[in-house]
Amino acid sequence: MFIYEFMSGVVDTIKGTDEGDFDPHKHRKVEKPTTYSETMIHLMKGSLGAGVLAMPSAVYRLGIIASLFGLLLVGFIATYCILLLIAAQYELCKRWRRGYIPYAKSMLLAVRDGPPMFRWTANSLYYFVEIVLVLWQLGICVIFFVFVAENMKQVFDFHGYEVSLRMHLCYLLPPLILLNLVKDLKVMTPLSTVSNIVTILGLILVFFYLIEDDVNIEKDTLYMKKYSAIPIFIGTALYALEAVGVVLALEYNMEQPKRFVGMFGLFSIGMFSITILYLVMGVFGYLKYGEDIKATITLNLPQEQKKAQAAKIIFAVAIFLTFPLQNYVAYNMMWRKLQKMIPPTQQTFLDYLLRIGLVVFPWLLAVAIPHLGPFISLFGAFCLSLLTVVFPGIMDLCLWYPDGYGLLHYKYIRDVLIIIVGFACLLSGVYTSLQEIAET
């Protein structure tokens, strides 16, 4: 539950004293810090969701050889940029003598001290970071809606109740609105526990199907079919690999935060393990189903087998139960802003109205375009290219202005390259995803 409180900005931070060398890690207000092993478990658990199930589709687009190199490259860039973001936030905390500074506020402070030509954008970038964070959370909700509806439709179709995918989306709306009206996050703790248990069980069932037959590697599966698939692959890989809010929350809450970073730190080791797991799932899934692979591997499981139906129901239930927690983050970020502008007498009504609206809005998007694959790559390309690549590059570029760029201004060159790569991923991924959405 701490992760969702952190991501929505309700975690307290404190100022440090002015005495001696300041270490932000010693001035964080964390009631129950997590150990190394607990943090690693949370990192792995936070990465095992709908993203891992989409990896076979991503491998299909690029072929096995290009996917091996591509996923390792995307994983390296994403990991490096998140470590760059954490290092920038740590430096800002030292300068401002605070235990922690949130993502958006870090961007504001960094740009204010950066090159004069960019300082006027500081406030705009502060709000833009918050908007992208909210869009990312709502985007996850759209993907969850479609994921649950598609898996439940296959199960119901097999048992003779055949209705459209949009009708299944309509069935999901009332219970999710009721779940989202729950105000106390602690009440959702059992839902999160059940979701984690059934997700692990579902992954075991899925992997059973991928390895039950002999593997036949055909020549066509090895090579890339078309270059236009690269942006879709990057968007899907970013969606699967990166959960920037979860990562920052885990680093904040860790008992020894210095062990989280570094080349052989917890995050680097965890991300390497997750990348290998995703490669195994993606390659075996593609070899199993070939060109018939769907947006998520659960949709390929045989409908007539009970184990396959159980896997689909398990993942649908897990994602369904996680929906209100993801929505909680967007709600709190928006409500903290709106609460200051609304009279106390109207707050109760508008509180419930916002909660309902934050379910209805992603539901309307899902009903309008109920196609999972393009949505995954779209939100991955737009939101995560910004949050995990572009924004950390901008923050670091401004942070070391004017005399901290190091030998031959290597930090300046590095940050500019990161920003260019991030925007290239963003523009190409969004353009290609929108093309696919328009076609479907």
Side-chain angles (χ1 to χ4, degrees), residues 37-214:
S37 58
E38 289 170 340
T39 307
M40 181 65 81
I41 291 170
H42 287 312
L43 179 63
M44 299 295 289
K45 183 176 67 179
S47 301
L48 298 178
V52 67
L53 302 175
M55 286 315 300
S57 174
V59 172
Y60 157 70
R61 292 177 181 277
L62 236 59
I64 293 175
I65 295 176
S67 295
L68 289 173
F69 291 102
L71 191 58
L72 288 173
L73 180 61
V74 172
F76 170 78
I77 293 173
T79 303
Y80 184 81
C81 290
I82 289 295
L83 291 175
L84 199 67
L85 171 63
I86 293 172
Q89 286 184 298
Y90 182 79
E91 177 64 25
L92 284 166
C93 288
K94 289 179 68 175
R95 293 183 185 183
W96 291 86
R97 311 192 77 77
R98 290 182 177 273
Y100 191 81
I101 301 176
Y103 195 162
K105 187 65 176 293
S106 297
M107 176 66 81
L108 173 71
L109 297 176
V111 176
R112 275 183 179 174
D113 293 335
M117 67 177 68
F118 297 132
R119 290 176 186 174
W120 64 274
T121 66
N123 288 325
S124 300
L125 278 172
Y126 168 78
Y127 289 108
F128 186 50
V129 171
E130 292 214 321
I131 289 170
V132 175
L133 285 168
V134 171
L135 284 177
W136 169 235
Q137 294 303 135
L138 293 179
I140 292 175
C141 293
V142 175
I143 292 167
F144 282 9
F145 261 121
V146 181
F147 180 91
V148 175
E150 284 190 337
N151 282 275
M152 294 309 298
K153 175 176 168 52
Q154 283 197 348
V155 175
F156 278 93
D157 284 354
F158 176 74
H159 290 283
Y161 184 73
E162 297 186 19
V163 295
S164 68
L165 182 62
R166 287 186 171 92
M167 201 67 210
H168 282 281
L169 286 167
C170 291
Y171 296 152
L172 290 174
L173 183 61
L176 284 177
I177 286 178
L178 291 175
L179 273 178
N180 209 53
L181 294 179
V182 177
K183 290 189 175 184
D184 189 354
L185 195 60
K186 291 182 181 179
V187 176
M188 298 181 191
T189 302
L191 302 182
S192 181
T193 304
V194 172
S195 174
N196 294 331
I197 293 171
V198 298
T199 297
I200 294 170
L201 180 59
L203 282 171
I204 294 171
L205 285 172
V206 169
F207 202 72
F208 167 80
Y209 277 101
L210 301 187
I211 62 173
E212 64 177 348
D213 297 327
D214 293 334

Side-chain angles (χ1 to χ4, degrees), residues 204-313:
I204 294 171
L205 285 172
V206 169
F207 202 72
F208 167 80
Y209 277 101
L210 301 187
I211 62 173
E212 64 177 348
D213 297 327
D214 293 334
V215 175
N216 296 316
I217 302 177
E218 299 178 3
K219 189 175 180 180
D220 290 344
T221 63
L222 295 175
Y223 303 110
M224 189 187 312
K225 295 173 178 60
K226 52 184 179 179
Y227 290 107
S228 60
I230 295 175
I232 298 289
F233 175 86
I234 293 173
T236 305
L238 280 174
Y239 173 83
L241 285 170
E242 278 299 352
V244 60
V246 172
V247 172
L248 295 180
L250 292 177
E251 189 272 340
Y252 174 89
N253 200 49
M254 192 172 173
E255 192 173 42
Q256 296 176 295
K258 285 183 171 62
R259 298 183 68 190
F260 190 86
V261 296
M263 183 180 296
F264 298 102
L266 182 147
F267 181 58
S268 298
I269 295 171
M271 284 296 291
F272 180 77
S273 305
I274 290 165
T275 302
I276 298 302
L277 172 64
Y278 281 20
L279 275 174
V280 171
M281 179 67 79
V283 170
F284 276 89
Y286 178 37
L287 290 175
K288 174 77 174 181
Y289 296 108
E291 295 189 1
D292 295 326
I293 196 73
K294 300 288 176 45
T296 62
I297 193 71
T298 52
L299 301 179
N300 282 101
L301 301 183
Q303 297 191 47
E304 67 278 2
Q305 296 185 17
K306 291 183 179 179
K307 290 192 297 293
Q309 291 188 22
K312 294 174 185 180
I313 293 172

Side-chain angles (χ1 to χ4, degrees), residues 338-370:
L338 293 173
Q339 198 173 19
K340 300 173 184 177
M341 303 182 289
I342 300 170
T345 54
Q346 301 177 11
Q347 286 188 3
T348 301
F349 171 74
L350 291 174
D351 176 27
Y352 284 108
L353 190 65
L354 178 62
R355 290 175 182 273
I356 294 171
L358 288 176
V359 179
V360 173
F361 176 70
W363 176 80
L364 288 173
L365 284 177
V367 169
I369 313 169

